[in-house]
Amino acid sequence: CSKRSMAKFPYKKYIFYWEDPVGDSSWCSANDMENLKPALITTEAYLYSRNKRHIKTFASYVRETDGTYTYGDVNVFLASGLVKMTKI
């Protein structure tokens, strides 16, 4: 192994709990409307970046021969929808 391939992985893994919009295109009663809530989503992934507006994650990656990374299973979601973030 070369020193480059032994470099420390620069990302941390988390479980993200976040709210995602839910829609319904059918006719809804007032009771249906009152009970409509966003879905609580659980995502286990690496944190790529985070700012006041967005959180970017990935769950798969390839470490290229030149030491860079290629990412898969990527998501970007609104930071305002984040409920909880736990490092694992």
Side-chain angles (χ1 to χ4, degrees):
C1 291
S2 70
K3 287 185 180 182
R4 175 172 268 164
S5 65
M6 298 294 287
K8 185 177 176 186
F9 188 64
Y11 302 99
K12 304 295 182 212
K13 196 170 193 180
Y14 291 85
I15 296 178
F16 299 89
Y17 301 94
W18 52 284
E19 292 183 317
D20 195 28
V22 171
D24 189 339
S25 62
S26 65
W27 293 101
C28 294
S29 69
N31 188 48
D32 293 334
M33 291 295 293
E34 292 298 323
N35 291 316
L36 192 60
K37 306 241 185 300
L40 182 60
I41 307 299
T42 302
T43 300
E44 185 175 320
Y46 295 98
L47 176 64
Y48 180 81
S49 67
R50 179 181 183 184
N51 62 34
K52 290 181 182 180
R53 296 191 63 209
H54 301 111
I55 297 171
K56 295 180 183 180
T57 67
F58 65 95
S60 302
Y61 63 91
V62 174
R63 185 178 174 110
E64 304 293 350
T65 56
D66 66 356
T68 62
Y69 293 94
T70 302
Y71 308 96
D73 305 312
V74 301
N75 286 299
V76 59
F77 55 95
L78 296 173
S80 62
L82 182 66
V83 174
K84 184 178 176 183
M85 179 175 157
T86 305
K87 188 175 174 184
I88 54 175

